[in-house]
Structure formats: structure tokens, C-alpha cells
């Protein structure tokens, strides 16, 4: 059986982020390239945060999942040419985040904008009557907001670039 | 001095600042005035130590440096190039917040400039780190503004912290003439003096908005020495604590 790039992407859709288990590494936009080589499959990826403690764990998960799905040797490497930003999330990832109870990131509007402070809609009631409590939450990618409409404190996947 | 030597000096200073400031941030874990502040300082600690690690790795991969862990934990005190500002103990919350404000704006400006560096490996890293530091400065600005409006004692303490921190913060921009001449000529970065001017412009406006008076630069003595390996009495005990576990068995696989 020859392996195609689309086989690799399909298998990658099954590799979930350990901190946000409803999003795959594809949903998050962490994959920058795949290739089929004589020695096996090669995957290039980028971490969401430079200090992300889960990078090695994710690399291992990708390797294990792909080796199982494709029955070949798999190499996963960090792509040092590319940097991750939150606009890289795949279509559909925002909806999945919201259903998981986390407000999705706003699209970035340039470096001087504090998108995080504006119109972060509550994932529970959709109200934009919210305010930023802290730009730091339970993981590096999350901020904490308060919804004045329904009274919930909710987490927000920060816009990052 | 070769260009690579000059680059290594600059990256080591940046990484050591991030490592030591990260360690200081981590000392607030569990002690912050409210839990959200515990989380904030812990997150910023993780970011900073991650930034230090990325820079140590760049030193290793692009400039023939040592293993990042060994370099972070096994050097002698005089081989660290951090500024005095990050070495000082956390003190009270006013000092910590003011240091966080002044230091993170300095980092934000440095990485903004390094995005256009002629040293290619720095460009994507600077882009990434700048995006992360944006949240550090956002956090600092919010607290500085809030505490300056929170009554007489609170305002007085913030002004006093600014007076204490400003000469120390100028030490971030301690010149390193020989290395800087090469780095500026090669287009690696604009040099410390120019970064400092951009930083003063920015914090002057932010301080004014909060009602704080930024001390005059010519009335204070900048805390220099760190970039040349002369440190405060606070660094050695910090290094001993920070590296104790690593040094107990440097060969261990974790
Ligand atoms: Zn709500």
C-alpha cells in the first residue's frame, strides 16, 4: 500500500491536543508540512507557545498514532522556520472550542491591538457584555473573563501572534 | 571579537535575564494577593523560562554553545550576564509589579526590533516571543493603572517603587561597547542606547497616563555591571537554589 499525504492528514486528525481534547493538531494548525519519503513519513510541526510543556508529549502522540494508522516509520520534527499564531486554527475549530466551553480567539488585527479585551463573547450565553479578569488562565493559551450577563467566569483561547 | 562572539554575548544576556526573572516570578506562586495573581505570575514564570530555554538552544544550535541545561545551571556566577534588576528579591508586591512593568516593556521593545534582525534564526523567535510578551505588558499595565487609582497609600507606593526601580531598570540597557559595535554594524539589532530611548518614550507615556512621575535619567545612576559579570549579593544564593536539583546529578535523564 502506498501512503498519500491525505492519508497522513487523516491520521493526524485523530491526534488530540492534551490540554484541549476536542481539538486535533490539525484543528490547531500545528502541522506545517508532511512528506512521504523512502525511510517513512515525516511530519513538521510547531508548538502553540514557545514554553509549551506538552510539545514532547504531542510529538510522541503523533508518532504513535501515525505508526499505528500507516504502519510505517514516522519522524516528527519541530519546524523552526514557521511560528504559530491563533489565526492558523482550522475552520470548525472555533465552534468546537465554544462547544467545549472555551471562547475562541478573535482574528488578529495587528500588533497594537488588544483583541483580547474587546467583544469576547461568552461561550455559555453568547453575550458580549463581558470583561477580561486576567490574561492568564489555567494553561498558557487561556485567559479568564467574566460574563456580566449570565454571571459565569469563562476561559478564552487567547489571540496570539 | 567575531560576530558570533558578539551574538553569543547578546543572547546570553537576554537568556539570563529571562531565566532569573522567570525564577523570581515563580517565587510568587502560592503567595500572590489573589489567586488570579498566583496564576499570572506562575504563567509568566513559565513563559520566561521557556524563552530562556529557546535562547540557550539557539546558542547551542547556531553558535556552537553548550547543552542548554548545563549552561543554565552549571556556570559560575561571573559567567552569568543578567542585569542587577532581575536579581533583586521580589520584595513587596509594589516592587514586583513595577519591575514586571518596566522589564516586560523593555523585552517587548527588544523583540519587536529583533524581528528585523540580520541574524535569521532570531526573526521567527522574536516574532513568537513578542506575541507572548504582549500579555505580560497587558497584565502589568492593567495593575499599574489600577493601583495608581486605588487611593493615596497605593499611589504613593507605586511612585516609590518606580523611583526605586528606574535606575535598576536602566541596567537592562548597559552598553557592551565592543560587541554592540559589531552587532549594530551587522544589522543584528539597533543597539542598547536606541532600545533604551524607545523604552523611555513608551513608559513615559504609560506612567503619565497613570499619574506617575518618571525620574529624570540624568538624576540617577544606572545599575550597571551585570552584563560584565559583576553581580549583586542576591544572585549567588538564587543560583544555588535554582541549580541544586540539577547539580545533584547532572548526568541524570529526567
Ligand atoms: Zn454569559
Amino acid at each position: 500500500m502506498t501512503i498519500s499525504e491525505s492519508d497522513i492528514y487523516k491520521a493526524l486528525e485523530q491526534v488530540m491536543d492534551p490540554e484541549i481534547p476536542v481539538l486535533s493538531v490539525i484543528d490547531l494548525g500545528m502541522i506545517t508540512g508532511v512528506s512521504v519519503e523512502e525511510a517513512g513519513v515525516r511530519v513538521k510541526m510547531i508548538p502553540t507557545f514557545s514554553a509549551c510543556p506538552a510539545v514532547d508529549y504531542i510529538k510522541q502522540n503523533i508518532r504513535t498514532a501515525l505508526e499505528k494508522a500507516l504502519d510505517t516509520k514516522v519522524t516528527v520534527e519541530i519546524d523552526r522556520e514557521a511560528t504559530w499564531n491563533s489565526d492558523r486554527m482550522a475552520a470548525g475549530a472555533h465552534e468546537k472550542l465554544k462547544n467545549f466551553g472555551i471562547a475562541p480567539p478573535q482574528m488578529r488585527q495587528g500588533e497594537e491591538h488588544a483583541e483580547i479585551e474587546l467583544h469576547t463573547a461568552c461561550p455559555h450565553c453568547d453575550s458580549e457584555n463581558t470583561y477580561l479578569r486576567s490574561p492568564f488562565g489555567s494553561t498558557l493559551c487561556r485567559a479568564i473573563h467574566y460574563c456580566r450577563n449570565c454571571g459565569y467566569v469563562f476561559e478564552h483561547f487567547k489571540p496570539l501572534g | 571579537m567575531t560576530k558570533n562572539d558578539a551574538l553569543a554575548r547578546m543572547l546570553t544576556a537576554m537568556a539570563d535575564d529571562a531565566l532569573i526573572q522567570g525564577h523570581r516570578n515563580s517565587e510568587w506562586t502560592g503567595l500572590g494577593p489573589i489567586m488570579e495573581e498566583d496564576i499570572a505570575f506562575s504563567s509568566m514564570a513559565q513563559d520566561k523560562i521557556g524563552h530562556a530555554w529557546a535562547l540557550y538552544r539557539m546558542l547551542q544550535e547556531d553558535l556552537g554553545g553548550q547543552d542548554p541545561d548545563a549552561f543554565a545551571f552549571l556556570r559560575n556566577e561571573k559567567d552569568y550576564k543578567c542585569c542587577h534588576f532581575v536579581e533583586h528579591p521580589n520584595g513587596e508586591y509594589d516592587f514586583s509589579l513595577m519591575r514586571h512593568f518596566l522589564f516586560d516593556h523593555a523585552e517587548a521593545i527588544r523583540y519587536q526590533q529583533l524581528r528585523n534582525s540580520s541574524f535569521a534564526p532570531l526573526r521567527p523567535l522574536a516574532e513568537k516571543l513578542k506575541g507572548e510578551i504582549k500579555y505580560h505588558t497587558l497584565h502589568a499595565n492593567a495593575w499599574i493603572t489600577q493601583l495608581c487609582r486605588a487611593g493615596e497609600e497605593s499611589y504613593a507606593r507605586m511612585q516609590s517603587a518606580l523611583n526605586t526601580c528606574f535606575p535598576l531598570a536602566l541596567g537592562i540597557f548597559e552598553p557592551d561597547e565592543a560587541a554592540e559595535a559589531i552587532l549594530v554594524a551587522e544589522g543584528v539589532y539597533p543597539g542598547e542606547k536606541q532600545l533604551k530611548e524607545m523604552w523611555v518614550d513608551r513608559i513615559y507615556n504609560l506612567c503619565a497616563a497613570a499619574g506617575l512621575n518618571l525620574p529624570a535619567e540624568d538624576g540617577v545612576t544606572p545599575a550597571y555591571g551585570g552584563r560584565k559579570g559583576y553581580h549583586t549579593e542576591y544572585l549567588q544564593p538564587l543560583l544555588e537554589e535554582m541549580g541544586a536539583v540539577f547539580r545533584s546529578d547532572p548526568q541524570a535523564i529526567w
Side-chain angles (χ1 to χ4, degrees):
Chain A
M1 182 190 103
T2 41
I3 298 166
S4 69
E5 290 193 358
S6 86
D7 294 332
I8 303 173
Y9 280 111
K10 208 168 281 167
L12 285 168
E13 281 171 16
Q14 306 306 315
V15 183
M16 297 298 159
D17 181 80
E19 287 178 349
I20 304 176
V22 293
L23 295 185
S24 71
V25 293
I26 297 290
D27 287 326
L28 278 162
M30 292 172 74
I31 305 300
T32 60
V34 303
S35 54
V36 186
E37 295 168 6
E38 225 165 275
V41 161
R42 182 180 297 272
V43 176
K44 285 178 147 190
M45 64 162 284
I46 43 177
T48 50
F49 271 70
S50 59
C52 179
V55 173
D56 285 334
Y57 184 69
I58 295 170
K59 277 170 79 175
Q60 180 62 45
N61 285 355
I62 292 176
R63 198 154 44 230
T64 309
L66 264 54
E67 282 176 348
K68 187 153 172 262
L70 305 171
D71 195 24
T72 184
K73 186 175 164 357
V74 176
T75 313
V76 185
E77 57 189 42
I78 302 291
D79 186 343
R80 292 182 69 205
E81 310 278 298
T83 54
W84 185 86
N85 68 62
S86 53
D87 297 350
R88 290 182 57 95
M89 278 193 198
H94 284 201
E95 197 61 28
K96 289 181 193 170
L97 263 178
K98 194 185 153 206
N99 293 336
F100 189 60
I102 298 179
Q106 292 90 335
M107 294 307 270
R108 296 178 307 134
Q109 297 164 20
E111 58 182 81
E112 299 316 325
H113 284 265
E115 302 92 346
I116 190 175
E117 293 180 294
L118 300 168
H119 311 300
T120 303
C122 170
H124 306 293
C125 74
D126 291 323
S127 169
E128 288 189 1
N129 187 13
T130 63
Y131 71 89
L132 175 67
R133 285 204 55 110
S134 174
F136 299 101
S138 61
T139 69
L140 287 182
C141 62
R142 305 189 205 183
I144 304 170
H145 295 253
Y146 178 79
C147 177
R148 290 191 183 94
N149 187 50
C150 71
Y152 269 107
V153 171
F154 63 91
E155 292 190 303
H156 173 215
F157 198 114
K158 298 190 259 218
L160 188 87
Chain B
M1 191 184 304
T2 66
K3 181 185 171 190
N4 278 5
D5 293 337
L7 272 166
R9 287 177 74 101
M10 181 184 82
L11 294 180
T12 302
M14 287 163 54
D16 289 348
D17 275 2
L19 180 71
I20 303 302
Q21 184 57 52
H23 189 83
R24 288 298 184 210
N25 285 349
S26 77
E27 292 175 338
W28 276 112
T29 304
L31 299 176
I34 52 172
M35 270 187 69
E36 280 171 8
E37 284 304 276
D38 274 358
I39 294 170
F41 271 96
S42 308
S43 299
M44 292 189 287
Q46 194 181 338
D47 275 344
K48 295 279 184 248
I49 292 169
H51 298 173
W53 184 71
L55 291 163
Y56 290 139
R57 210 177 33 169
M58 185 176 289
L59 278 163
Q60 180 189 30
E61 290 176 358
D62 300 306
L63 297 167
Q66 300 174 43
D67 167 68
D69 284 308
F71 194 64
F73 295 127
L74 296 182
R75 274 174 292 162
N76 291 320
E77 189 209 40
K78 68 170 174 39
D79 297 322
Y80 284 82
K81 299 289 183 259
C82 49
C83 63
H84 293 181
F85 196 23
V86 296
E87 298 171 11
H88 277 252
N90 283 336
E92 304 219 12
Y93 212 60
D94 48 13
F95 177 84
S96 272
L97 265 184
M98 191 55 76
R99 173 165 61 186
H100 158 40
F101 170 73
L102 298 173
F103 181 78
D104 280 298
H105 278 290
E107 281 211 321
I109 283 167
R110 189 175 297 272
Y111 286 112
Q112 185 176 34
Q113 294 301 312
L114 287 171
R115 288 184 311 168
N116 306 315
S117 177
S118 64
F119 183 55
L122 261 175
R123 291 196 294 264
L125 185 70
E127 181 77 36
K128 181 104 193 107
L129 269 47
K130 188 183 174 293
E132 296 178 10
I133 291 166
K134 178 174 172 177
Y135 290 109
H136 297 210
T137 54
L138 184 73
H139 175 264
N141 293 353
W143 277 99
I144 295 288
T145 309
Q146 190 155 327
L147 290 177
C148 282
R149 290 181 189 152
E152 197 178 332
E153 186 196 348
S154 177
Y155 170 78
R157 289 183 71 139
M158 295 318 286
Q159 180 64 56
S160 157
L162 177 59
N163 297 345
T164 306
C165 287
F166 186 65
L168 289 166
L170 288 170
I172 299 170
F173 307 100
E174 176 178 349
D176 183 5
E177 292 86 358
E180 257 183 271
I182 297 170
L183 298 173
V184 174
E186 295 275 350
V188 172
Y189 89 131
E192 297 300 324
K193 185 165 183 291
Q194 198 167 336
L195 291 182
K196 184 198 71 193
E197 283 165 9
M198 297 162 97
W199 172 79
V200 168
D201 278 350
R202 183 185 297 191
I203 59 163
Y204 178 86
N205 288 323
L206 291 164
C207 286
L212 293 169
N213 296 311
L214 193 64
E217 233 186 292
D218 50 17
V220 300
T221 310
Y224 288 163
R227 304 295 185 219
K228 303 212 157 67
Y230 304 112
H231 296 288
T232 64
E233 74 216 71
Y234 308 114
L235 183 62
Q236 185 59 39
L238 183 154
L239 295 176
E240 278 162 24
E241 183 186 305
M242 192 175 68
V245 175
F246 186 81
R247 276 194 310 273
S248 69
D249 184 357
Q251 307 307 325
I253 308 283
W254 292 86

